[in-house]
Amino acid sequence: MTTTKVSVNVEWLSACGGCDTSLVDLHEKILQLFDAVQIQHWPLITDIKERPKAKIGLISGAVRSQHDHKVAVEMRERCDAIVAFGTCAVYGGISAASLAHSNAEILDRVYVHNPTTVGGAAPKNTVAVLEDKVLPLDEVIPVDLYLPGCPPHANFTFEALAAVIAGRVPKARDESVCGRCKRTMKKTEVAAIDSGYAHPMDPSLCFLSQGQICLGSVTLDRCLSPCTEVGAACTGCAGPTMQILTEPNRDLRTEVAERMSLLTKIPAAKVVETMEAGAKSHYAYAMATKMVGSKPTFLIKKWIEKIEATT
Amino acid sequence: MSQTIIVDPVTRIEGHAKVLLDLDDGGKVKSAGLVVNELRGFERILVGMQAATMPAVTARICGVCPSAHAIAAAKAIDAATHAEVPVAGHLLRELLYMGHVIHSHAVHLFALAGPDLLFGVDSDPAKRNIVGIVEAHPVIAKKALRLRSLGQKINETLGGRGVHPVTVVAGGLSFVPTPERMASVTEMATEALALVQELAPPIIQALLALLEKSPQLAGIKQETAYLGTVRNGKLNLYDGTLRLVGADGKILKEFAAAAYAEHLVEHTYDWSYMKPVFAKVDGKEVVYRVGPLARVNLADGMETPLADAALTAFRAQWGRVVHVTALQEHARLIELLYACEKAVLLAKDPAARGNTLAPVTFTAGRGVAHVEAPRGTLLHDYQVDAAGVVRSANLIVATQHNYAAINRSLTQSAEALGVKGPADGNLLNGLEYTIRTYDPCLSCATHAVGRMPMQVSVRKDGVVLYDVRRDS
């Protein structure tokens, strides 16, 4: 970090506040950050009311409402460099699962046909109008730096800020979550998909080797791979690897299916079928981005309709 | 002709909330309400997802209290599948959660409320933030940041990640922590307990000084009912029975989370995305509050000695049932003490060792569970099918319970202050104080309310007449 203070505006759109909290998870390093930057606008913690001009604009959250859209445009006007901070800003994130439903359907469930809500009607006055669907940030403004992660590990955030401040390219490798995973990948005789919760699993063996769906091999490491060490398969919260994003013929389900079928006796087609049936979970974080959504064989709406129709 | 005024903190909390004032024909305040301006619609989008992913997915409802959502969801799926969570699974989830509460309460006390406490609510806004505290009170700030870090690191050591933990799953905890991890958690909890005892006196002192300096804060009170959770009568954050007490502290009812729909009812406003909740008592709908103040009001006492002594002192000074919303900070501090003490006990508990996870088998069923989120009772309700897919979901989050009381307080403040026209800074300040004392976390529906610049748009029959605005 430099000694001259660099001005920063922090902003959130449709998000959970987790990216903001992760900034505080710089722990002791946050004091270093305060030394290096002048935080001018950060709705969560500062009292500065306006959005002054700043060198860096850090935006978390997806564009869900017309108001989010307007705020994003204003941030673009006020900041020299815009960082799409976190999976929601980069790919639309978890609330992008709403892609599968119309706004009317969502409003109906929350306000009208809801088990504990009486006399309900969807709000229509004074509230911000929802966009037709969730949009990643770069569909409404140009973005200079993408930092996915739900939230990104503080190390990546610190490096990203340090790089933007110094005017250099951030040091962040294009590795998948497997890169740092400590589990052993080996060929097994497993013949059926395993949910992972019906019986004890081997904590040191690769999930794919055990027939359990894990998105580690198709997910970009912006987390330092902590989950597989504590018994949890990767759910892809940082979004897909560059390989998946940039090649039209590659997809989460086909890549996972190929690897799992090589490691086990489970046919690739069975893995694809399972992942399509669980599409709303497996594609939860990045379905709103055109890089995933525009793939010709990506039929997320159809898959979700199918699973919701089964009772 | 009636009028509507919109107090719009858009420039600060970015459109996620503003305030609406309705005036009657005589220009007097008829009603006021906090407008929550964003919706993500989780109750719809969770349907069709795999039930086993609910803890990790619903953590994303709120990055301020992700562990609370993860635990509520895991407990609900436990209930739906009749999973027999091993004792160590429950204890370690609770320990993880105490870490989260330490982090969350510390963030609130030092980063969100701290600037008001240490500098006063009328101080320079450019300094009135955590950076200002670091500059003006470096020793307190360092200790406070350390305390928060310890809480978050306990949460992370057991949760795999700090924000959005992944180990809290249906059936228990997804892994057995190594002895090294447990030793490090024990060490961190012990350090946190020592730190919180150092930090408590200056916070209480600052709160008293603030109440003296800004007497209007002591005037913001609501004699409401209170809802929270007790186990054997003592305050509990992880599990227990829901207890509703009246404004006089008398127990109105106790019920299990599974029966919430019989006791609580949500309404809608056509001007806000957030739904208020009322308690059903003797055929009437009652306004109540949740959160630290509610919990210390309704509990018989605290389970741990230091927190219990702190509660006794609090009651000696302010009474058995406290309605002044600013004292929420004091209640939060009592809970922070409790969370540190409880974390040490849990970390050292031999029963927290060994198997943490039970197998889970899905059959069609329903599961309801709750947890006391840092800001109040959080309820998750799922219908799942035999394939383990969510078929319906219903959620009631902490700030929803407080919503009716917030609106009532706003109405009272606006009535007391009067509406005097476009340059009415007094109205803006008054409404801002009112909202702040409630500490509404709108993240669960939208976002946390940080600080509030205010903009009031005065409307008559839907047409804006003028704006009252406070810019820096």
Side-chain angles (χ1 to χ4, degrees):
Chain A
M1 297 271 171
T2 58
T3 44
T4 335
K5 290 207 176 192
V6 173
S7 52
V8 176
N9 288 343
V10 186
E11 194 54 82
W12 52 14
L13 307 177
S14 181
C16 71
C19 289
D20 293 74
T21 308
S22 79
L23 271 181
V24 190
D25 283 345
L26 288 167
H27 298 294
E28 290 73 22
K29 273 189 178 169
I30 198 161
L31 296 176
Q32 252 173 286
L33 186 70
F34 287 162
D35 278 345
V37 304
Q38 178 70 45
I39 293 174
Q40 308 188 121
H41 173 88
W42 185 357
L44 183 65
I45 68 158
T46 72
D47 261 354
I48 302 299
K49 294 166 182 93
E50 292 169 335
R51 228 174 269 119
K53 273 203 172 302
K55 180 157 185 237
I56 304 172
L58 216 52
I59 305 181
S60 67
V63 177
R64 185 71 190 91
S65 71
Q66 292 177 3
H67 186 85
D68 293 336
H69 194 139
K70 186 176 133 242
V71 170
V73 170
E74 278 173 28
M75 276 288 277
R76 182 69 268 185
E77 285 165 1
R78 310 299 292 169
C79 306
D80 295 344
I82 290 287
V83 180
F85 180 35
T87 297
C88 290
V90 177
Y91 302 119
I94 196 85
S95 54
S98 60
L99 275 184
H101 316 288
S102 67
N103 287 337
E105 208 182 326
I106 290 169
L107 293 169
D108 180 77
R109 171 60 190 177
V110 178
Y111 302 102
V112 187
H113 292 101
N114 177 287
T116 44
T117 304
V118 296
K124 54 187 186 299
N125 292 322
T126 77
V127 290
V129 176
L130 300 176
E131 291 279 5
D132 289 339
K133 58 175 187 169
V134 171
L135 299 168
L137 188 58
D138 68 0
E139 288 205 27
V140 302
I141 57 167
V143 165
D144 300 289
L145 190 77
Y146 294 87
L147 181 54
C150 187
H153 191 281
N155 284 10
F156 290 100
T157 306
F158 192 75
E159 168 58 18
L161 289 174
V164 179
I165 289 166
R168 60 174 172 81
V169 177
K171 286 176 234 153
R173 286 184 298 181
D174 178 22
E175 268 188 353
S176 75
V177 169
C178 290
R180 282 192 172 87
C181 178
K182 296 187 179 108
R183 291 181 176 236
T184 319
M185 196 181 245
K186 67 175 185 198
K187 217 166 155 40
T188 65
E189 299 299 308
V190 172
I193 301 268
D194 196 315
S195 68
Y197 49 71
H199 59 95
M201 304 292 285
D202 183 339
S204 56
L205 183 61
C206 169
F207 287 103
L208 297 183
S209 299
Q210 301 185 68
Q212 186 180 347
I213 308 283
C214 173
L215 300 187
S217 66
V218 287
T219 300
L220 185 67
D221 169 21
R222 288 296 176 265
C223 55
L224 307 181
S225 314
C227 301
T228 59
E229 205 183 330
V230 292
C234 176
T235 57
C237 74
T241 53
M242 293 311 285
Q243 193 187 35
I244 301 276
L245 290 173
T246 53
E247 295 185 31
N249 61 334
R250 289 180 189 274
D251 180 86
L252 303 185
R253 67 196 192 291
T254 53
E255 291 295 295
V256 171
E258 192 184 322
R259 291 192 181 101
M260 195 186 276
S261 66
L262 288 170
L263 288 164
T264 64
K265 302 274 183 203
I266 305 166
K270 182 69 197 165
V271 182
V272 168
E273 186 193 315
T274 306
M275 287 187 68
E276 287 178 4
K280 214 176 186 182
S281 298
H282 298 309
Y283 289 88
Y285 296 93
M287 67 173 84
T289 177
K290 282 180 178 160
M291 287 183 287
V292 172
S294 300
K295 288 178 194 271
T297 57
F298 184 72
L299 307 171
I300 186 92
K301 278 199 173 185
K302 205 178 116 198
W303 303 332
I304 291 174
E305 274 168 24
K306 200 171 151 195
I307 189 73
E308 289 203 10
T310 338
T311 39
Chain B
M1 205 65 85
S2 66
Q3 291 181 325
T4 301
I5 295 174
I6 299 172
V7 180
D8 193 348
V10 153
T11 51
R12 183 62 53 78
I13 50 172
E14 305 325 319
H16 298 297
K18 51 189 174 187
V19 172
L20 192 75
L21 293 187
D22 274 325
L23 303 189
D24 64 15
D25 294 354
K28 279 190 179 156
V29 176
K30 205 161 68 182
S31 67
L34 177 69
V35 178
V36 172
N37 204 18
E38 195 174 296
L39 171 77
R40 285 179 294 155
F42 275 89
E43 288 162 323
R44 183 65 190 88
I45 66 180
L46 296 178
V47 174
M49 287 190 182
Q50 292 170 328
T53 66
M54 286 302 100
V57 168
T58 61
R60 269 81 184 184
I61 290 172
C62 177
V64 181
C65 64
S67 304
H69 281 279
I71 288 173
K75 283 168 53 180
I77 306 299
D78 291 345
T81 58
H82 308 287
E84 287 175 20
V85 178
V87 174
H90 275 304
L91 294 177
L92 290 175
R93 279 182 187 171
E94 187 171 7
L95 175 54
L96 174 157
Y97 192 52
M98 290 305 103
H100 175 70
V101 171
I102 294 167
H103 143 81
S104 177
H105 276 8
V107 164
H108 186 88
L109 278 168
F110 303 106
L112 303 180
D116 282 343
L117 294 181
L118 292 169
F119 300 125
V121 284
D122 299 324
S123 57
D124 176 8
K127 289 280 166 202
R128 198 171 59 206
N129 55 52
I130 183 71
V131 186
I133 294 188
V134 171
E135 281 166 9
H137 301 273
V139 180
I140 291 185
K142 272 206 162 163
K143 284 183 180 167
L145 282 170
R146 175 73 186 153
L147 178 62
R148 187 215 71 89
S149 279
L150 289 167
Q152 184 74 327
K153 283 176 180 171
I154 291 170
N155 178 65
E156 184 177 342
T157 306
L158 295 174
R161 320 172 78 215
V163 178
H164 306 327
V166 294
T167 61
V168 179
V169 295
L173 197 79
S174 64
F175 78 124
V176 178
T178 57
E180 292 75 35
R181 272 189 202 244
M182 289 309 296
S184 122
V185 167
T186 309
E187 199 177 307
M188 290 190 284
T190 308
E191 189 189 339
L193 180 56
L195 268 179
V196 71
Q197 292 176 75
E198 284 180 50
L199 285 164
I203 296 169
I204 292 173
Q205 219 174 352
L207 181 60
L208 289 175
L210 177 70
L211 285 170
E212 218 161 275
K213 220 167 88 183
S214 312
Q216 74 273 30
L217 284 178
I220 302 173
K221 59 177 158 190
Q222 277 274 342
E223 300 205 355
T224 62
Y226 296 97
L227 178 75
T229 302
V230 290
R231 191 148 65 179
N232 303 322
K234 302 285 173 69
L235 183 146
N236 202 287
L237 300 170
Y238 176 74
D239 203 15
T241 307
L242 284 159
R243 176 185 278 184
L244 182 76
V245 302
D248 56 1
K250 262 198 220 135
I251 297 173
L252 294 174
K253 56 170 80 180
E254 289 191 346
F255 56 96
Y260 81 104
E262 290 165 38
H263 303 284
L264 305 177
V265 59
E266 295 177 279
H267 283 265
T268 59
Y269 294 132
D270 78 342
W271 42 265
S272 175
Y273 281 126
M274 186 156 71
K275 297 183 283 185
V277 192
F278 299 86
K280 295 190 254 185
V281 181
D282 300 331
K284 281 190 205 133
E285 291 184 357
V286 171
V287 175
Y288 63 94
R289 288 191 275 172
V290 298
L293 186 62
R295 291 187 290 244
V296 303
N297 275 339
L298 63 86
D300 301 342
M302 305 297 290
E303 197 185 297
T304 54
L306 291 174
D308 196 52
L311 177 60
T312 305
F314 177 73
R315 286 178 175 168
Q317 184 167 11
W318 302 104
R320 175 60 184 81
V321 181
V322 179
H323 301 295
V324 177
T325 46
L327 290 170
Q328 179 95 282
E329 301 312 331
H330 197 147
R332 198 184 311 275
L333 184 65
I334 296 170
E335 287 193 339
L336 182 57
L337 259 171
Y338 162 74
C340 293
E341 286 182 287
K342 184 78 182 170
V344 173
L345 290 173
L346 287 163
K348 291 182 174 169
D349 191 341
R353 307 303 193 272
N355 180 35
T356 55
L357 189 61
V360 171
T361 311
F362 281 97
T363 49
R366 181 173 170 223
V368 182
H370 83 298
V371 67
E372 286 295 322
R375 288 166 176 80
T377 312
L378 168 65
L379 283 149
H380 281 216
D381 175 359
Y382 302 98
Q383 191 81 43
V384 302
D385 68 15
V389 175
V390 175
R391 289 300 171 188
S392 85
N394 195 34
L395 309 164
I396 295 181
V397 302
T399 298
Q400 279 186 266
H401 302 280
N402 286 334
Y403 199 14
I406 292 173
N407 293 339
R408 209 157 81 173
S409 279
L410 283 171
T411 307
Q412 284 171 358
S413 297
E415 272 169 1
L417 294 160
V419 179
K420 298 184 189 74
D424 195 351
N426 213 23
L427 173 71
L428 298 171
N429 278 331
L431 296 180
E432 177 179 354
Y433 292 147
T434 306
I435 295 171
R436 270 199 214 177
T437 54
Y438 276 96
D439 172 30
C441 171
L442 304 184
S443 292
C444 295
T446 65
H447 290 307
V449 174
R451 298 292 172 255
M452 304 204 156
M454 288 287 185
Q455 180 187 319
V456 183
S457 295
V458 180
R459 299 197 315 182
K460 191 166 190 178
D461 292 334
V463 181
V464 176
L465 299 179
Y466 60 82
D467 288 342
V468 188
R469 196 191 273 275
R470 186 183 61 212
D471 295 327
S472 51

